[in-house]
């Protein structure tokens, strides 16, 4: 089973630790992980701005990078959702193969690898931020609006981590306000939404806020830092990959 | 081309291919347990009051006492005493405005939401259940249906006007504060006669 | 985009103004979130909730696919029952028809219960220009009418106002005690004031929640009883409906009435669900069927099922953007998520901002009782608007640039490296609140020396 690791453009550039953690975690779990060096982006920023028509070059590049792997795995719910819904190309067969075999990290772990244990340890209070596209788009977890059985793939995995205490904010699955270019074009609403999420996590006195999407975390972290908060953000890959390296 | 023709032809041209209507098969069967008790609770939750009685005595007393206090009472239920024949389908609103309390029958009650279904002939005038200050309705305990699906099954033919009435009139339009008694009746009592 | 649309600002700018009063924004947000939670609790009382949504969606999908025939059936049955059916191709014709009826009878006053369609058609302004005194009788609508504002929410018109505001307005217009904010007191004052209007008004206009093809009847749902107070006292009752309000059979009402109030306010049913089939003896009853762009929307495969909407506003209440920007920032009669997919059909240029007033979180689609794929339609409208040229040119240029970069791996890597080096060397570059909207209230992410690819190439190949 050959896995193609897809790292979202801004994670590659600004949050390489998340990518490293993802790579290490998948490798530790016995996967043959390839990282196609020619990858760039999933094309979502253009598409969400109304310019899906401009993403042909980006899509073609993506297809050529990932057409030969069995699975594409990415530490990002929104990128994976976008590709699943919108990836097309002149090589439509390859595009279809990718769309049908692309996974966000946590769902790959629960659904394909069926991970039942992890050597990870993270003895901290962590706030769970439920990223919208992963949740409502990929069904990574149940949704508070729907009258359906409760479940959460990310939580299922976090519960395997020793010492961790995970808490939901009061509004369990309200959006953080990042929304892609929304974060700058509707800056006032975006930041207000982020501030409100942070306030709810603060009530739980968490040390970290985690989630499956770096975009959400980057946005929340920007606000946390501006307000001098001690709360840090950490991607779920980094928690799941976290082992105590040495005893102090 | 008339507007009617223009609209209909635009719709004919633009509508999608015919999709079948879904079959109304719900996997959950309606709950028929303790219907009277549940109806009472449902009405309470919507600011109404339900009183379970074994005869019309309590209701008759209500009619008598309200009239004795000098209020204008409209009664449409033969068992309660003299009927208010002055109220007909075309009685003017001016004449109905002073109604203090109206006693009306309803066809049946709906357990899932505390509503009753009433027809125009039961009201005698469409405005009565709205313009009265206080409303009293009588239904039989055997005339309760569990949910709205069975409610519509029971309505054989629609009269010129029919009403699902659920509780007294209300509004929360002022800063979401619930106020009972907006424009319609200020209170609702349903006597469930066993 | 700080261009003005008539008197309104684009959503982003109006929202910024709204949010500037943070405590008030919090109050507005919490109030509407509470309505969303009431909806949740109500849905939990119905074990078959998701099945009902699927049914409602299916009934509406079917109706729209047979809309012309159902409208004809409705007209035939209604007419046989003594109702006069009118057809209006657009808002102007709708308004003229109503004025015509008023003039024919020589009436110069009327009462109106809630009808978003009449808001869409700007009926009040038109009638007032023509010498008609219009009294909106829904309490929330009467309040905003006194204040010369538009409703900010299709179910809770005055949700943006505090009781202090209502008290001031009623003091001015009804002579209530200055400073008396008690909702009970204020509602009582409105009851008395409007009771007189109901009784003396010769003509009443109502909306239509559902029109039934099978019977030629229509249903009007209210909590206050104002629609009925007006209609049953008036000698002429006009009911206004969009073509999409048609449902096939009376028994279908069970599905919709089980979903509507629970979705809207968390009540199991509205206080009054009035079923009109025939005029009262001696009364004239009219129904005005309105198109106003609906048949055009029907012809858009991606957007046609926005016509399934039953105007419950559950999408408003759940939308984190709506709750923090208020209905007026959407500058249309129907705001919120559903408005953002309906309004571009009416006027793409004026409403080009609306589909972008969203993070596409998808909560709206989940609460919609008729399962409209609202968030997906928002995305699709963005493509249409960009295609039609209604997205700012600067944005298009930026996107073209981005597309070019992202289809050239080498250029992407170079740009990334340069960007990060610049940020590390000259942090002040990005740290400018005017030039960089991100930086107004957020710190920038740190720029690492190495990208992941750099690390991978160095260590793993």
């Amino acid at each position: 089973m050959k896995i193609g690791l897809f790292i979202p453009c801004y994670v590659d550039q600004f949050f390489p630790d998340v990518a490293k953690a993802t790579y290490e975690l998948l490798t530790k779990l016995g996967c043959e992980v390839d990282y196609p060096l020619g990858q760039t982006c999933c094309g979502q920023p253009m598409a969400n701005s109304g310019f899906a028509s401009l993403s042909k070059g980006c899509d073609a590049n993506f297809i050529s990078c990932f057409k030969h792997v069995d699975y594409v795995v990415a530490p990002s719910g929104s990128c994976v959702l976008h590709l699943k819904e919108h990836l097309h190309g002149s090589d439509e067969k390859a595009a279809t193969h990718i769309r049908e075999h692309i996974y966000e990290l946590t769902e790959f772990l629960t659904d394909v690898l069926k991970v039942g244990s992890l050597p990870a340890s993270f003895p901290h209070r962590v706030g769970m931020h439920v990223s919208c596209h992963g949740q409502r788009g990929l069904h990574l977890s149940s949704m508070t609006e729907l009258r359906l059985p409760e479940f959460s793939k990310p939580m299922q995995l976090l519960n395997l981590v020793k010492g961790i205490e995970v808490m939901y904010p009061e509004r369990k699955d309200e959006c953080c306000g990042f929304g892609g270019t929304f974060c700058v074009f509707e800056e006032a609403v975006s930041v207000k939404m982020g501030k409100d999420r942070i306030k709810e996590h603060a009530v739980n006195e968490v040390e970290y806020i985690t989630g499956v999407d770096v975009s959400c975390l980057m946005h929340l972290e920007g606000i946390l830092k501006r307000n001098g908060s001690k709360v840090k953000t950490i991607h779920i890959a980094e928690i799941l990959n976290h082992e105590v390296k040495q005893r102090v | 081309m008339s507007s009617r023709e223009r609209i209909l032809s635009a719709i004919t041209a633009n509508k999608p291919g015919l999709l079948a209507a879904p079959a109304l098969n719900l996997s959950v069967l309606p709950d028929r347990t303790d219907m009277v008790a549940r109806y009472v609770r449902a009405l309470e939750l919507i600011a109404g009051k339900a009183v379970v009685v074994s005869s019309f005595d309590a209701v008759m007393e209500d009619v008598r006492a309200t009239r004795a206090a000098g209020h204008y009472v409209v009664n449409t239920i033969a068992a309660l005493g003299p009927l208010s024949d002055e109220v007909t389908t075309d009685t003017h609103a001016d004449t109905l405005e002073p109604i203090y309390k109206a006693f009306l029958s309803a066809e049946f009650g709906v357990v899932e939401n505390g509503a009753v279904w009433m027809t125009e002939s039961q009201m005698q005038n469409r405005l009565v259940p709205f313009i009265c200050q206080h409303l009293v309705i009588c239904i039989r305990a055997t005339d309760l249906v569990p949910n709205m699906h069975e409610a519509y099954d029971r309505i054989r033919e629609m009269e010129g006007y029919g009403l699902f009435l659920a509780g007294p009139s209300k509004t929360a339009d002022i800063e979401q504060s619930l106020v009972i008694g907006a424009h319609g009746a200020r209170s609702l009592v349903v006597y469930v006669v066993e | 985009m700080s261009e003005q649309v008539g008197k309104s600002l684009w959503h982003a700018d109006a929202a910024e103004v709204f949010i500037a009063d943070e405590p008030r924004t919090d109050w507005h947000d919490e109030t509407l979130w509470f309505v969303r939670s009431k909806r949740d609790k109500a849905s939990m009382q119905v074990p078959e909730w998701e099945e009902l949504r699927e049914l409602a969606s299916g009934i509406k999908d079917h109706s729209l696919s047979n809309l012309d025939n159902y409208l004809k059936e409705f007209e035939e049955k209604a007419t046989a029952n003594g109702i006069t059916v009118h057809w209006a191709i657009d808002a102007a014709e709708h308004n003229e028809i109503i004025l015509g009826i008023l003039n024919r009878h020589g009436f110069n006053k009327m009462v109106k219960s809630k009808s978003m369609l009449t808001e869409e058609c700007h009926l009040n302004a038109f009638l007032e220009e023509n010498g008609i005194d219009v009294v909106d009788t829904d309490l929330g609508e009467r309040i905003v009418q006194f204040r010369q504002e538009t409703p900010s929410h299709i179910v809770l018109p005055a949700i943006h106002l505090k009781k202090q505001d209502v008290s001031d307005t009623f003091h001015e217009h009804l002579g209530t005690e200055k400073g008396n904010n008690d909702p009970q007191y204020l509602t009582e004052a409105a009851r008395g004031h409007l009771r007189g209007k109901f009784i003396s008004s010769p003509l009443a206009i109502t909306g239509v929640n559902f029109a039934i093809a099978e019977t030629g009847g229509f249903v009007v749902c209210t909590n206050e009883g104002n629609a009925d107070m007006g209609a049953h006292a008036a000698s002429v009752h006009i009911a206004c409906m969009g073509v999409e309000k048609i449902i096939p059979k009376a028994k279908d009402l069970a599905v919709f009435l089980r979903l509507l109030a629970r979705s809207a306010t968390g009540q199991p049913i509205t206080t009054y669900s009035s079923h009109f089939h025939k005029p009262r003896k001696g009364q004239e009853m009219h129904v005005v069927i309105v198109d106003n762009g609906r048949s055009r929307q029907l012809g858009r495969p991606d957007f046609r099922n926005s016509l399934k909407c039953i105007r419950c506003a559950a999408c408003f209440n759940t939308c984190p953007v709506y709750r923090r920007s208020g209905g007026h920032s959407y500058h249309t009669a129907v705001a919120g998520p559903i408005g953002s997919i309906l309004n571009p059909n009416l006027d793409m240029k004026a409403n080009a901002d609306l589909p972008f007033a969203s993070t596409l979180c998808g909560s709206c689609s989940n609460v919609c009782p008729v399962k409209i794929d609202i968030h997906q339609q928002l995305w699709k409208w963005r493509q249409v608007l960009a295609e039609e040229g209604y997205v700012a040119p600067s944005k298009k240029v930026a996107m073209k640039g981005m597309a070019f970069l992202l289809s050239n791996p080498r250029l992407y890597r170079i740009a990334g490296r340069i960007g990060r080096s610049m940020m590390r060397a000259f942090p002040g570059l990005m740290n400018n609140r005017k030039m960089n909207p991100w930086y107004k209230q957020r710190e920038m992410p740190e720029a690492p020396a190495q990208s992941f690819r750099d690390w991978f190439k160095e260590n793993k190949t």
Side-chain angles (χ1 to χ4, degrees), chain A residues 10-106:
Chain A
Y10 64 103
V11 177
D12 172 38
Q13 297 293 328
F14 291 97
F15 300 94
D17 286 344
V18 175
K20 282 180 217 169
T22 307
Y23 176 78
E24 282 175 15
L25 180 62
L26 287 168
T27 311
K28 263 188 238 174
L29 291 169
C31 300
E32 189 196 332
V33 184
D34 180 28
Y35 174 73
L37 294 169
Q39 60 183 269
T40 58
C41 173
C42 67
Q44 201 185 174
M46 282 97 70
N48 285 2
S49 302
F51 296 97
S53 56
L54 293 177
S55 66
K56 288 193 183 32
C58 183
D59 291 347
N61 184 60
F62 192 93
I63 294 168
S64 76
C65 285
F66 289 97
K67 63 205 259 185
H68 297 300
V69 298
D70 299 313
Y71 294 99
V72 181
V73 181
S76 165
S78 68
C79 301
V80 169
L81 179 65
H82 173 76
L83 290 160
K84 263 180 111 148
E85 292 189 333
H86 301 296
L87 184 70
H88 295 286
S90 50
D91 188 349
E92 190 56 28
K93 194 158 168 246
T96 307
H97 170 77
I98 292 170
R99 284 199 318 275
E100 290 174 358
H101 294 87
I102 186 165
Y103 286 82
E104 177 276 337
L105 176 66
T106 61

Side-chain angles (χ1 to χ4, degrees), chain A residues 70-146:
Chain A
D70 299 313
Y71 294 99
V72 181
V73 181
S76 165
S78 68
C79 301
V80 169
L81 179 65
H82 173 76
L83 290 160
K84 263 180 111 148
E85 292 189 333
H86 301 296
L87 184 70
H88 295 286
S90 50
D91 188 349
E92 190 56 28
K93 194 158 168 246
T96 307
H97 170 77
I98 292 170
R99 284 199 318 275
E100 290 174 358
H101 294 87
I102 186 165
Y103 286 82
E104 177 276 337
L105 176 66
T106 61
E107 62 175 353
F108 186 73
L109 263 47
T110 57
D111 296 357
V112 181
L113 295 184
K114 302 207 201 309
V115 168
S117 70
L118 284 169
S121 158
F122 196 74
H124 298 282
R125 268 173 92 92
V126 179
M128 181 75 211
H129 172 68
V130 180
S131 297
C132 300
H133 297 115
Q135 182 207 27
R136 296 192 185 87
L138 298 176
H139 301 133
L140 295 185
S141 68
S142 54
M143 299 159 244
T144 58
E145 304 96 356
L146 301 179

Side-chain angles (χ1 to χ4, degrees), chain A residues 14, chain C residues 416-431 445-449:
Chain A
F14 291 97
Chain C
R417 196 167 303 132
I418 293 176
R420 276 180 290 113
S421 320
M422 296 286 271
M423 280 173 73
R424 289 168 70 80
F426 307 110
L429 255 180
M430 299 298 275
N431 300 353
E446 271 170 36

Side-chain angles (χ1 to χ4, degrees), chain C residues 200-346:
Chain C
S200 66
S201 182
L203 187 141
I205 291 186
T206 69
V208 166
N209 289 85
F210 306 99
I212 314 153
E214 179 188 39
T215 62
F218 58 93
V219 178
V220 182
C221 304
T222 69
N223 276 320
E224 296 175 26
N226 58 310
D228 291 273
M229 283 292 276
H232 302 317
S235 51
V236 179
H237 172 193
I238 308 176
C240 304
M241 60 176 267
V243 292
E244 83 283 21
K245 292 302 178 85
I246 286 275
I247 57 171
K249 298 194 184 309
K251 71 172 166 68
D252 296 329
L253 286 167
V255 176
F256 293 103
L257 292 185
R258 295 186 79 196
L259 288 166
L260 177 62
R262 288 185 172 105
S263 302
T265 57
Q267 298 167 276
I269 194 169
T270 50
T271 307
Y272 307 103
S273 307
S274 296
H275 294 53
F276 293 86
H277 281 87
K278 296 180 179 157
R280 177 182 81 242
K281 180 162 146 216
Q283 185 194 48
E284 224 178 85
M285 193 180 273
H286 301 259
V287 169
V288 184
I289 301 176
V290 182
D291 184 343
N292 203 35
R294 288 154 173 76
S295 59
R296 182 173 59 235
Q297 186 84 319
L298 187 65
R300 301 183 196 270
D302 286 337
F303 308 113
R304 69 167 51 110
N305 71 20
S306 61
L307 295 172
K308 287 155 58 174
C309 177
I310 62 174
R311 302 292 194 269
C312 72
C315 59
F316 290 49
N317 305 333
T318 199
C319 179
V321 176
Y322 173 84
R323 283 186 266 111
R324 293 174 181 82
S325 56
H328 292 147
S329 57
Y330 294 75
H331 53 74
T332 51
V334 178
I338 187 67
S340 299
I341 61 174
L342 289 172
N343 295 317
N345 173 57
L346 296 177

